[in-house]
Amino acid sequence: RGIASLAVGALLVGLLPAQALAADGDPSLTISSPTEGQTLTEDTATVSFTVANVTVGTDTDHVHYYLDSDSVVMVYSTDAITLSSLAEGSHTLKMVVADVNHTEYTNTEASATVNFSVDFPEETPDLTVSDFSVDSNDTLSVVVTNSSTADVSVTTGSTYIYIDDVLEWTY
């Protein structure tokens, strides 16, 4: 009876992936940046993560990541990853520890997912006084320029001139 139980146990073990049998020493992965729900204001994200209970390298365990369910990208270090040219909108990043044969570990702690979004701020004109002078006839000249790349769609407005915190002129 003991031999039969051992044979059935060995058969069951042979059917399960090696990762499913691991216990307290299971690999774990944590994503620290970007954070869940974070809104980024540029098209680049720095992904910081940690991996525990395995050695990450080229001939050992490594990390797979998927951005928005795209094809797998393999990472052979725990250095931060830069995601660039991100489109505006919602994104999902999933990371999973994989073994040397690219088999992903199945324990819950071996994977992490973070949802974040990219929202480019609307660029607005940045109007500044670039030149200010008074000539010998007491004619005031004020040059206002746009120091941003946003279009100035409104061409009417007012310029207020203060001297010693007192409003002197409005143009």
Side-chain angles (χ1 to χ4, degrees):
R1 179 176 177 167
I3 294 175
S5 296
L6 180 61
V8 170
L11 179 60
L12 289 175
V13 167
L15 295 176
L16 295 174
Q19 293 85 348
L21 300 175
D24 291 336
D26 283 351
S28 65
L29 185 143
T30 304
I31 301 171
S32 56
S33 174
T35 58
E36 181 65 29
Q38 183 176 4
T39 299
L40 306 175
T41 57
E42 55 188 56
D43 69 347
T44 302
T46 300
V47 178
S48 299
F49 65 100
T50 56
V51 177
N53 299 326
V54 294
T55 301
V56 174
T58 54
D59 295 325
T60 62
D61 293 325
H62 57 282
V63 174
H64 290 173
Y65 79 80
Y66 307 84
L67 179 63
D68 300 329
S69 300
D70 286 342
S71 299
V72 64
V73 177
M74 288 163 265
V75 179
Y76 297 98
S77 77
T78 56
D79 296 339
I81 301 166
T82 301
L83 304 175
S84 57
S85 301
L86 293 167
E88 196 165 18
S90 297
H91 297 280
T92 299
L93 174 68
K94 178 181 179 184
M95 300 182 80
V96 185
V97 181
D99 68 16
V100 69
N101 296 314
H102 302 285
T103 303
E104 294 179 353
Y105 285 89
T106 58
N107 61 301
T108 305
E109 299 80 17
S111 67
T113 301
V114 64
N115 298 290
F116 64 96
S117 61
V118 175
D119 184 17
F120 303 128
E122 184 176 326
E123 191 171 8
T124 58
D126 187 8
L127 303 178
T128 57
V129 174
S130 63
D131 190 26
F132 180 86
S133 62
V134 178
D135 67 15
S136 60
N137 295 324
D138 290 334
T139 301
L140 178 66
S141 295
V142 178
V143 177
V144 177
T145 57
N146 179 10
S147 60
S148 79
T149 58
D151 289 332
V152 179
S153 58
V154 177
T155 57
T156 60
S158 299
T159 302
Y160 301 97
I161 308 296
Y162 289 82
I163 297 176
D164 294 328
D165 293 328
V166 176
L167 179 62
E168 294 292 333
W169 297 285
T170 302
Y171 297 96

